[in-house]
Amino acid sequence: MCRWGCTTTNTTFMCKWCGTRYCKECLKGDFTGEMTDPAKCRKCNQTKCQGQRVEFVPGHKGPSTDKAGKTSARSKSPAKSAKQGAKKGGKKKKKRSKERRQKEKEETIKA
């Protein structure tokens, strides 16, 4: 259901010129009245205004119900969450100041 009341879902788009959100199905949006044409923005009067689809989650089908009628939500697998926290190995170089490098250089020359 779109935020303006029509029964369709995933039809909310944003004008690529002014950013006004509107439903392509019911032609209502963040403005007074309805759009006359779905390809012309009601606020800025630009043609070919359809920008990206908003208020849409790709691949989201809602919570699924199992045989017992309980809703189940997907959770992260423990392997995936363990990998997120892991850091890449490797030896880091210590940063030395310019003065310290010069001192070490002088000591090696004296020796």
Side-chain angles (χ1 to χ4, degrees):
M1 186 169 191
C2 82
R3 67 160 87 166
W4 297 280
C6 74
T7 57
T8 58
T9 57
N10 303 328
T11 57
T12 306
F13 289 87
M14 189 166 61
C15 173
K16 64 182 173 183
W17 307 109
C18 66
T20 302
R21 293 171 185 244
Y22 65 94
C23 176
K24 194 172 179 182
E25 189 69 29
C26 66
L27 300 177
K28 293 182 183 177
D30 292 338
F31 42 79
T32 308
E34 293 183 3
M35 297 173 77
T36 55
D37 181 26
K40 187 175 181 181
C41 180
R42 171 98 176 181
K43 264 192 174 177
C44 65
N45 287 328
Q46 291 284 338
T47 56
K48 298 180 183 176
C49 69
Q50 181 179 323
Q52 65 184 24
R53 185 168 25 180
V54 291
E55 299 173 11
F56 167 71
V57 180
H60 180 68
K61 297 175 185 166
S64 62
T65 56
D66 58 3
K67 290 180 182 177
K70 296 178 183 176
T71 59
S72 61
R74 295 181 85 185
S75 62
K76 287 185 179 179
S77 66
K80 219 175 201 182
S81 60
K83 286 180 183 177
Q84 267 183 339
K87 292 184 179 179
K88 291 183 179 180
K91 197 171 185 179
K92 292 185 177 179
K93 288 186 176 182
K94 292 183 179 178
K95 292 187 178 181
R96 297 180 294 190
S97 67
K98 194 174 185 179
E99 295 170 357
R100 183 170 174 149
R101 279 185 270 144
Q102 285 178 350
K103 257 187 189 178
E104 289 174 357
K105 194 174 185 181
E106 290 173 3
E107 288 175 6
T108 55
I109 292 172
K110 288 181 184 176

